[in-house]
């Protein structure tokens, strides 16, 4: 799938619309989900334009690893790392991906069930 520069997370990256940012570095931006599904719900996005996980190329491997590191770092800073937390990546229509800029959901502060819905 081609990347659409007008998606809402691209606008957040360009600071065209506001976000409640909790972490930013050279590779990623993390901000609170506007419709949180848990007491802590942060989205971690790469600065690189990748529409969905399955579009990532071998050149993206470092940034994908960075997103995982950032998710753990944010969980620690949010105080949910020890109790337990969940990360999720929705890829495509059947997984209900609604924003086509890759994002990692970091959720915590409540119990989670398995399998997920
Ligand atoms: P997904 O369904 O995996 O594509 O997740 C997209 C997420 O983006 C949802 O959890 C939305 O609540 C969240 N979202 C949409 N617009 C915004 C926004 N402007 N700021 C923060 N989160 C948003």
């Amino acid at each position: 799938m081609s990347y659409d520069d007008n998606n809402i997370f691209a606008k957040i990256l360009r600071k065209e619309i506001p976000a409640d940012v909790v972490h930013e570095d050279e590779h990623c931006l993390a901000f609170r989900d506007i419709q949180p599904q848990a007491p802590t719900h942060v989205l971690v996005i790469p600065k690189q334009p990748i529409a969905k996980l399955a579009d990532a190329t071998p050149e993206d491997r470092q940034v994908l690893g960075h997103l995982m590191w950032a998710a753990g770092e944010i969980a620690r800073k949010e105080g949910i790392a020890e109790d337990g937390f969940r990360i999720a990546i929705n890829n495509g229509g059947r997984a209900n991906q609604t924003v086509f800029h890759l994002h990692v959901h970091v959720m915590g502060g409540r119990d989670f069930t398995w399998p997920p819905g």
Side-chain angles (χ1 to χ4, degrees):
M1 171 191 279
S2 64
Y3 182 82
D4 176 4
D5 267 333
N6 285 318
N7 78 75
I8 196 128
F9 293 170
K11 291 180 181 174
I12 287 174
L13 276 174
R14 292 194 298 265
K15 317 282 186 202
E16 290 170 11
I17 62 168
D20 187 356
V21 172
V22 300
H23 173 90
E24 179 167 16
D25 60 42
E26 70 270 41
H27 296 304
C28 72
L29 181 71
F31 51 89
R32 297 193 191 282
D33 196 294
I34 208 164
Q35 280 189 291
Q37 302 300 314
T40 298
H41 188 169
V42 171
L43 302 171
V44 190
I45 71 172
K47 291 194 166 172
Q48 209 159 310
I50 304 168
K52 62 187 197 305
L53 182 66
D55 292 342
T57 67
E59 289 70 42
D60 296 324
R61 283 179 295 185
Q62 191 181 354
V63 84
L64 295 181
H66 189 89
L67 296 179
M68 291 296 104
W69 166 80
E73 180 74 0
I74 288 159
R76 281 188 291 277
K77 285 190 178 148
E78 292 285 321
I80 57 173
E82 293 310 314
D83 283 350
F85 66 99
R86 177 164 292 170
I87 66 169
I89 297 174
N90 295 320
N91 185 105
R94 286 194 90 176
N96 283 320
Q97 183 176 0
T98 57
V99 179
F100 284 86
H101 180 110
L102 174 62
H103 49 283
V104 180
H105 295 261
V106 181
M107 294 168 284
R110 68 168 169 87
D111 293 332
F112 294 92
T113 58
W114 194 264

